[in-house]
Amino acid sequence: MLAASVAAMRGHSVILLERNGFTGKKLNITGKGRCNVTNCCETDGLMAGIPRGGRFLFSAFSLFSPKDVMELFEELGVPMKIERGRRVFPASDRAQDITGALRAMMKKSGVRVLQGRADSIKTEEGRVVSVSAGADAYPCDAAILATGGLSYPLTGSTGDGYLIASRLGHTITPTAPSIVPLECADEDIRGLSGLTLKNVRLRVADGKKPVFDELGELLFTHFGVSGPLSLSASAHMRGDCSRYALSIDLKPGLDAEKLEKRILSDFEKYKNRDIMNGLCDLLHKSMIPVIIDRIFLERSKKINSVTRAERLALISAIKAFGLSVSGTRPIDEAIVTSGGVSTKEIDPKTMSSKLFEGLFFAGEIIDCDGYTGGYNLQIAWSTGFAAGYYC
């Protein structure tokens, strides 16, 4: 929508070919319906938030920055607000306000929106001449492929753009899910399904190398873990996820010494109870048996007979509750698709194909992806603006 509007404002006659019944279907569900529009940071901050393709995006970010995005929507009548982690949302917390503003922008600039599913792009003598959608053909001097990736297929992101680009000879870097829930091999957490842990610290290590360390919220599921921390962590995990180890600090506000004092206080309070009933003030009731079993204590052991060594083992289990990753959930459950059209075959300034004149790319179809926090939508805005501006 942004690319089409910018191209139209530059004087082109523009058709937006939309396979869904309405535009913005995927955008409407981003940020749990709130739409994390961008991340309010400078270019260096954006680059740090995009582990794959950050350097390639430098020119596009310079052309259309987070500040430009915010100013655009303010001008379109959608006030912005900045939340924790520099995340930017519409003040109304309504993604529909963003899509509505983009539709109004298209209408004002003269973009024609037609329903149809593009399936091929025809070229002659090295340049684009038409786009086909079933039996319909649309002659054109330029075409922008902004079809998304493979995530959220019910919104229309089913990889059509990859197929179209590959048929033209473009290289498609293998796709994989990113910002996605993680599957775990630990059988003892199956009974924790549905439990949400708030204000915990999740650490991820690749062997001995730490790759992620953040405070936040985590959700246990029937397959492993989900929630904000899990999704953010997944963006740092590449290739075979089984080589990564997760560690949850259940009490990040207490160091080991303070935690031991807290435990001693609770033990004194419940000294005549068994260990299963003596940790109720410290841990969620469903976590207690898992922790106790992990340090090989009898669940019926009396608190007044717990040794110091056992107490130290309890502290370790609370401060570093380990999980073994067996993989990620399928790509259709991912928020973002990693991989796509190779950036080596795209001009980083204009988003134009290096193989064909008049062919441009924008958004998730490109082999670039970032962490949670507005980075991926900023990729979409910046590449879309560049493609529309230079097409």
Side-chain angles (χ1 to χ4, degrees), residues 154-288:
L154 292 178
T155 66
S157 297
T158 53
D160 292 17
Y162 300 140
L163 186 59
I164 294 171
S166 65
R167 284 174 176 169
L168 290 171
H170 270 282
T171 302
I172 308 300
T173 304
T175 56
S178 184
I179 312 184
V180 62
L182 300 172
E183 295 182 348
C184 298
D186 312 85
E187 289 298 326
D188 63 351
I189 67 168
R190 303 301 174 217
L192 300 178
S193 180
L195 172 63
T196 297
L197 299 177
K198 296 184 178 181
N199 300 316
V200 297
R201 180 180 292 277
L202 178 65
R203 296 184 175 93
V204 180
D206 181 359
K208 293 184 178 180
K209 179 185 176 183
V211 297
F212 179 81
D213 186 341
E214 271 190 24
L215 283 165
E217 185 175 306
L218 194 71
L219 170 67
F220 285 104
T221 69
H222 66 282
F223 56 76
V225 287
S226 186
L229 281 178
S230 170
L231 299 178
S232 295
S234 71
H236 297 252
M237 301 163 69
R238 303 289 174 177
D240 181 10
C241 287
S242 64
R243 73 176 192 267
Y244 294 95
L246 307 186
S247 176
I248 307 170
D249 184 346
L250 299 171
K251 296 294 174 183
L254 300 173
D255 60 24
E257 183 179 348
K258 290 180 180 178
L259 180 57
E260 183 175 22
K261 289 180 179 178
R262 167 66 190 275
I263 290 172
L264 285 170
S265 175
D266 286 356
F267 278 11
E268 177 61 27
K269 181 179 178 181
Y270 300 119
K271 59 185 176 183
N272 294 320
R273 294 187 181 186
D274 57 40
I275 189 72
M276 278 286 291
N277 296 315
L279 296 171
C280 54
D281 292 348
L282 185 65
L283 300 170
H284 189 278
K285 63 180 181 180
S286 59
M287 285 292 300
I288 295 173

Side-chain angles (χ1 to χ4, degrees), residues 35-82:
C35 191
N36 185 181
V37 176
T38 186
N39 191 284
C40 185
C41 61
E42 301 299 325
T43 301
D44 288 347
L46 285 176
M47 304 272 280
I50 299 170
R52 193 181 186 99
R55 289 186 179 181
F56 167 80
L57 294 164
F58 182 85
S59 293
F61 288 153
S62 300
L63 180 68
F64 198 63
S65 68
K67 181 181 178 182
D68 294 324
V69 173
M70 295 171 69
E71 288 179 352
L72 171 67
F73 285 110
E74 292 274 359
E75 290 171 2
L76 291 172
V78 185
M80 297 282 107
K81 64 177 178 179
I82 302 171

Side-chain angles (χ1 to χ4, degrees), residues 89 104 335 374:
F89 293 87
I335 292 176

Side-chain angles (χ1 to χ4, degrees), residues 104-122:
M105 186 182 183
M106 287 196 297
K107 184 176 181 179
K108 183 178 180 180
S109 60
V111 174
R112 286 192 295 155
V113 180
L114 301 179
Q115 188 172 6
R117 184 173 181 174
D119 51 39
S120 65
I121 292 176
K122 184 178 179 181

